[in-house]
Amino acid sequence: MSDEKLDVKKAEAKKADAKKAAKKPAKKNKKPNVFKRLIKYLNSCKGEIKKITWPTARQTTKNFGIVIAVIVVIGLFIFALDQGLYALLGLVMDTSA
């Protein structure tokens, strides 16, 4: 029976502690000054920029050539597809263009 009384007392003590904690005003988490936050942000940006590995001039030229070649190939493919579909349309319909 004494164990039950101890458990009841512990439960009541927990409830009392919870009530006391609820009555205490919550601490406000103040944000730092807007200028301090801006400076912190800019410093972190500076650190990230230092981590970047920039391509060399040779790599940039090579990548530029690859992009131009792919554009030309795709352009020729679209041109050929357009001409082929136009010719197919000409067989089905009488087009005088």
Side-chain angles (χ1 to χ4, degrees):
M1 184 113 166
S2 64
D3 289 334
E4 290 177 12
K5 287 181 182 179
L6 287 175
D7 290 338
V8 171
K9 286 184 180 180
K10 286 181 182 178
E12 289 175 359
K14 285 183 182 179
K15 286 180 184 179
D17 289 341
K19 285 182 182 178
K20 286 180 185 177
K23 288 183 182 179
K24 290 182 182 178
K27 291 183 179 178
K28 291 184 179 180
N29 293 335
K30 289 188 175 182
K31 290 183 180 179
N33 184 336
V34 69
F35 295 110
K36 289 181 182 178
R37 288 187 289 159
L38 180 64
I39 289 170
K40 183 179 178 183
Y41 173 75
L42 292 175
N43 284 335
S44 66
C45 288
K46 183 179 174 183
E48 290 297 321
I49 288 176
K50 287 181 179 179
K51 295 178 186 178
I52 296 173
T53 55
W54 298 98
T56 63
R58 185 174 181 186
Q59 289 172 330
T60 305
T61 305
K62 181 180 175 183
N63 290 341
F64 177 75
I66 291 170
V67 168
I68 295 300
V70 169
I71 289 172
V72 168
V73 168
I74 291 175
L76 289 173
F77 174 75
I78 291 173
F79 176 76
L81 184 66
D82 182 53
Q83 292 299 316
L85 290 175
Y86 188 74
L88 184 64
L89 185 64
L91 293 175
V92 175
M93 303 172 87
D94 182 28
T95 57
S96 56

